[in-house]
Amino acid sequence: VYNVVGLPESEVDQRIAPFYKSVENPSTTVLSTLGVIEVHISARAASEEEAETLLAGLGDKIELALGDYVFSTKGESLEEVVGAFLVMRQKTIAVAESCTGGLLAERLTRVPGSSDYFLGGAVSYSNEMKTRLVGVPPAMIQAHGAVSRPVAQAMAEGIRSHTGASIGVGITGIAGPSGGTAEKPVGLVYIALADERGTQVREFRFPGSRERVRHWSSQMALEMVRRRIKG
């Protein structure tokens, strides 16, 4: 099973179809779950060794076609993969969350042994708490709004500074179902990552329900961390 993040199902299928459609064995199934595209391949053969050879032949082509969008091949969750990278690189992480309400911290600490790299987090839901807990200047919030690129950056840099973590993550957005405007619609989310190399901020427009927006926000935050550590 190849677990993929960051590509829509249609593009995953487009990339790998030339390889799997030309063979009947192994067989390939593409499944879409919340935040992850799963590519399942299975082979039938007279022996396990022969089946493994068939799987490797197709699997290598699929993995090459999908590249760095594949985050695991053995069923690990994205938070498990990120945790392994943090341990390997001897990095620590802290998070400042608004619209996700602590979901990213929950996912990071869901992994056994996460105390080795997770230092803590702040759910700075109100504007006041963004200022008091992570040091976002009130003038910045007034000028740009709580859901903005500068505020996400200040949240990531603030939590990193407050905790001494190697990596700070800031998330602010509009999860809905209400609260959106024409300029800042429901599903607009800014995610920032700060480390010793500087700060990266990305803007996302997630469709769907409040639960979906919150989950996708935590998923893409983890993916940003994975790619940053992996280099």
Side-chain angles (χ1 to χ4, degrees):
V1 178
Y2 295 88
N3 287 336
V4 181
V5 66
L7 288 178
E9 183 180 1
S10 58
E11 187 171 345
V12 170
D13 191 62
Q14 183 180 9
R15 288 187 178 209
I16 67 175
F19 306 112
Y20 78 78
K21 286 189 174 179
S22 61
V23 296
E24 293 185 1
N25 184 32
S27 61
T28 303
T29 305
V30 180
L31 301 175
S32 178
T33 62
L34 186 58
V36 178
I37 306 298
E38 298 178 355
V39 180
H40 295 247
I41 61 174
S42 57
R44 303 179 305 278
S47 68
E48 184 175 346
E49 182 178 3
E50 185 181 348
E52 290 287 355
T53 300
L54 289 170
L55 288 175
L58 177 59
D60 288 349
K61 295 175 182 177
I62 287 176
E63 194 164 1
L64 185 62
L66 296 176
D68 281 348
Y69 292 100
V70 175
F71 68 84
S72 74
T73 59
K74 298 179 181 179
E76 305 99 328
S77 66
L78 188 52
E79 52 264 38
E80 288 176 317
V81 172
V82 167
F85 272 123
L86 287 166
V87 170
M88 187 189 320
R89 305 290 191 191
Q90 296 184 315
K91 302 283 188 180
T92 55
I93 189 170
V95 300
E97 303 181 62
S98 184
C99 64
T100 45
L103 179 58
L104 178 57
E106 191 280 324
R107 291 185 64 181
L108 284 164
T109 56
R110 193 181 299 174
V111 181
S114 55
S115 58
D116 290 340
Y117 51 82
F118 183 74
L119 298 188
V123 180
S124 50
Y125 213 66
S126 69
N127 291 348
E128 182 185 0
M129 289 299 101
K130 287 179 176 64
T131 297
R132 291 179 59 184
L133 294 180
V134 292
V136 180
M140 179 184 290
I141 297 175
Q142 184 175 2
H144 301 281
V147 179
S148 63
R149 186 179 296 270
V151 168
Q153 178 173 344
M155 290 171 67
E157 292 172 351
I159 196 67
R160 179 172 183 257
S161 175
H162 278 55
T163 62
S166 308
I167 298 170
V169 176
I171 305 176
T172 182
I174 305 169
S178 61
T181 65
E183 182 182 358
K184 295 183 178 182
V186 170
L188 173 65
V189 178
Y190 292 96
I191 304 175
L193 186 156
D195 64 8
E196 75 280 358
R197 291 177 287 172
T199 304
Q200 171 193 17
V201 186
R202 292 186 63 186
E203 176 184 316
F204 297 92
R205 305 285 178 117
F206 298 123
S209 66
R210 180 180 179 85
E211 178 186 0
R212 184 179 177 86
V213 171
R214 283 160 47 88
H215 182 84
W216 266 107
S217 299
S218 68
Q219 188 79 342
M220 294 315 297
L222 288 168
E223 173 64 353
M224 286 174 65
V225 175
R226 180 184 77 94
R227 285 181 172 272
R228 188 75 161 198
I229 300 175
K230 190 176 180 182

